[in-house]
Amino acid sequence: MKRNAPHSDAWNAQAPEREPWQEPDHFSGETPERAGGGSARLVPLVICAILLAVLLVEGVFIWGKSAQMQRNNAVYVPSAEQNVYPADESFSFGPLQRAMKVSGQGEDMGRITGAAQDEKIVRVALRMGAVNDAVWDCSGAFYLQCGGTYYPNLGGYRLKQEHPEWAMRALDGYELCESGMEEGWVYFLVPESVSEGTFWMHWLEKDEDYNNESVQAAGVPVSFAQEVAGND
């Protein structure tokens, strides 16, 4: 009696497994082990790309923060005929021809409490002569122009909160319309990078509805050095 031949599936199940055939790579000339080294060489390039992306994002953030700071501090300045005068010399300003004298050497006072990390205080020395009469239908203003940005002067109220010794001799724009002789400092909050600018005085005459009727502007170039010890 013939024995039945083993079932083909059972026979195949008992046969040892063979490695799948791989055609040789005639183009790379590398074994599979050597070909995998290309991925390893890509890792440093990927890391460098990530670092460059991080630096780019950080640079954009810093630029955006600086631009935002300028927008926060800057103000609209009415257009006017601008006359520039030399520093440390007297000149007449406004309808009453009030005598003015601005020091060309301002002072860098450093940071003030509550200001951003990249902001500081600078100040400009100003002397205003006395006139015969005050003008009530006007509004005065001080600005510091740095590049294309104008910064308004800091009011005495904020200075009094943080530095009352500064507020004692701080001048505000409204004093341009008064008649008495004044001598003191005009303070500005500016970016830390500021080392020079143009100090502007604006005289704005008002109509009966208190709208600007005419504007006069006088500017003096100033630069800033570190605070001199003992100045108030």
Side-chain angles (χ1 to χ4, degrees):
M1 178 181 293
K2 293 183 179 179
R3 294 183 180 180
N4 293 331
H7 194 273
S8 59
D9 291 340
W11 174 262
N12 292 335
Q14 295 175 4
E17 295 184 1
R18 296 181 179 178
E19 293 290 334
W21 173 257
Q22 294 183 355
E23 291 290 339
D25 188 350
H26 299 289
F27 299 98
S28 65
E30 295 180 347
T31 61
E33 292 79 5
R34 292 182 59 189
S39 300
R41 287 194 296 271
L42 288 176
V43 173
L45 295 178
V46 173
I47 293 176
C48 290
I50 294 174
L51 291 176
L52 288 175
V54 171
L55 291 174
L56 179 61
V57 171
E58 184 177 357
V60 171
F61 173 77
I62 293 174
W63 176 85
K65 184 178 179 181
S66 176
Q68 182 64 41
M69 183 184 67
Q70 288 190 346
R71 288 192 294 269
N72 291 342
N73 292 342
V75 293
Y76 165 74
V77 176
S79 59
E81 180 181 352
Q82 298 179 339
N83 297 304
V84 179
Y85 298 91
D88 304 304
E89 295 184 13
S90 295
F91 60 91
S92 298
F93 177 64
L96 300 179
Q97 295 296 288
R98 190 174 188 179
M100 301 287 180
K101 188 175 182 180
V102 179
S103 172
Q105 183 59 67
E107 293 185 4
D108 186 335
M109 310 300 289
R111 292 188 60 200
I112 186 173
T113 304
Q117 186 175 0
D118 46 2
E119 292 178 325
K120 66 180 179 181
I121 300 292
V122 296
R123 67 182 185 179
V124 178
L126 171 64
R127 178 184 296 175
M128 300 186 289
V131 291
N132 294 329
D133 195 9
V135 181
W136 303 109
D137 57 347
C138 85
S139 177
F142 296 130
Y143 303 100
L144 183 65
Q145 180 188 4
C146 304
T149 304
Y150 289 79
Y151 300 93
N153 75 291
L154 279 178
Y157 176 74
R158 181 171 181 183
L159 288 172
K160 188 174 182 180
Q161 289 181 316
E162 305 293 346
H163 289 280
E165 70 279 10
W166 294 357
M168 292 177 62
R169 297 187 61 199
L171 299 175
D172 287 295
Y174 68 83
E175 292 170 316
L176 285 171
C177 303
E178 298 182 351
S179 59
M181 186 182 73
E182 299 285 354
E183 185 175 5
W185 299 92
V186 185
Y187 291 81
F188 299 93
L189 179 64
V190 297
E192 279 189 330
S193 59
V194 168
S195 60
E196 60 184 6
T198 302
F199 172 72
W200 288 101
M201 294 174 285
H202 273 56
W203 174 289
L204 298 87
E205 290 189 61
K206 304 290 184 177
D207 59 20
E208 58 183 8
D209 295 323
Y210 212 68
N211 297 316
N212 292 343
E213 191 171 42
S214 64
V215 184
Q216 298 183 37
V220 176
V222 295
S223 58
F224 302 102
Q226 289 295 322
E227 178 187 6
V228 179
N231 283 2
D232 56 5

